[in-house]
Amino acid sequence: AQSVTQLGSHVSVSEGALVLLRCNYSSSVPPYLFWYVQYPNQGLQLLLKYTSAATLVKGINGFEAEFKKSETSFHLTKPSAHMSDAAEYFCAVTTNTGNQFYFGTGTSLTVIP
Amino acid sequence: ETGVTQSPTHLIKTRGQQVTLRCSSQSGHNTVSWYQQALGQGPQFIFQYYREEENGRGNFPPRFSGLQFPNYSSELNVNALELDDSALYLCASSPGPRDGSMGEQFFGPGTRLTVL
């Protein structure tokens, strides 16, 4: 079975500061991992994905994530927060069959001016 | 290129009623997945359809059912509505689990269902 745990349901950072959103996964087979962003009253938008290629994955809007098998982690980072980054962020996992997706409970990011 | 669309945007039903939600997949996509997102929670996988066949199901009761049509659009049907069914229902389309674009799901804006 697969699952993800997002540590910290709410994260606040100052504009220009480092963003770090945590995700740990559990999977009995090699996982495919994703980060999605959701703005109020909108659907989810894919930020980036890990599919067993490079362990450091670069996504849109300056975000990146590093797959660490030894720590079963896939934390999302951005060097400098922007006001427009304020949103809900979800980590998700699936397997190579791609027919079951599991999302974390989300982390709400607030950016303080 | 048209993205994923869902209808209706909002819906209010009473307990015990039935509801049908609709989703049009993105052009070129043959796989549709449905999710339920309760307030303050992450999306919960309901089921996935690949080329008109159910291709995976989450932990939802049989009163949640679906269809996928030859044009790959999809419906989610929920019978005997309960208060806890109130949620945002998201549809996501993708090129397909066997088409080399693992996880490249494109989400629609969702249908907000309220059960009174």
Side-chain angles (χ1 to χ4, degrees), chain B:
Chain B
E1 184 179 84
T2 305
V4 179
T5 60
Q6 294 186 243
S7 62
T9 305
H10 295 86
L11 202 53
I12 299 175
K13 292 286 188 178
T14 56
R15 194 170 47 182
Q17 285 188 310
Q18 178 267 343
V19 69
T20 297
L21 310 182
R22 295 177 175 83
C23 171
S24 291
S25 59
Q26 186 163 316
S27 177
H29 290 181
N30 56 26
T31 301
V32 171
S33 303
W34 286 93
Y35 296 85
Q36 179 195 68
Q37 186 179 17
L39 200 61
Q41 300 296 314
Q44 297 292 311
F45 178 74
I46 302 175
F47 43 58
Q48 182 184 86
Y49 280 83
Y50 171 65
R51 297 190 178 187
E52 304 179 60
E53 297 288 332
E54 188 176 290
N55 187 49
R57 189 179 181 92
N59 190 27
F60 280 80
R63 59 189 185 84
F64 286 79
S65 63
L67 282 174
Q68 188 178 33
F69 300 99
N71 66 355
Y72 303 129
S73 65
S74 177
E75 287 183 353
L76 165 65
N77 298 289
V78 186
N79 293 322
L81 284 167
E82 300 177 359
L83 297 180
D84 285 348
D85 295 334
S86 294
L88 179 68
Y89 288 84
L90 295 166
C91 165
S93 76
S94 56
R98 302 177 184 86
D99 295 343
S101 300
M102 188 61 59
E104 196 75 56
Q105 293 198 335
F106 295 81
F107 282 80
T111 293
R112 175 73 62 186
L113 173 65
T114 302
V115 183
L116 303 175

Side-chain angles (χ1 to χ4, degrees), chain A residues 32 34 36 38 41-46 49-51 88 90 94-106, chain B residues 33 35 37 40-45 48 55-58 88 90 97 101-110 112:
Chain A
Y32 293 81
F34 312 87
Y36 282 85
Q38 186 176 34
N41 301 313
Q42 294 187 25
L44 279 70
Q45 179 183 8
L46 180 67
K49 65 179 180 180
Y50 167 76
T51 57
E88 190 84 18
F90 294 96
T94 189
T95 66
N96 60 5
T97 59
N99 65 353
Q100 287 269 6
F101 287 82
Y102 300 89
F103 282 82
T105 52
Chain B
S33 303
Y35 296 85
Q37 186 179 17
Q41 300 296 314
Q44 297 292 311
F45 178 74
Q48 182 184 86
N55 187 49
R57 189 179 181 92
L88 179 68
L90 295 166
S101 300
M102 188 61 59
E104 196 75 56
Q105 293 198 335
F106 295 81
F107 282 80
R112 175 73 62 186

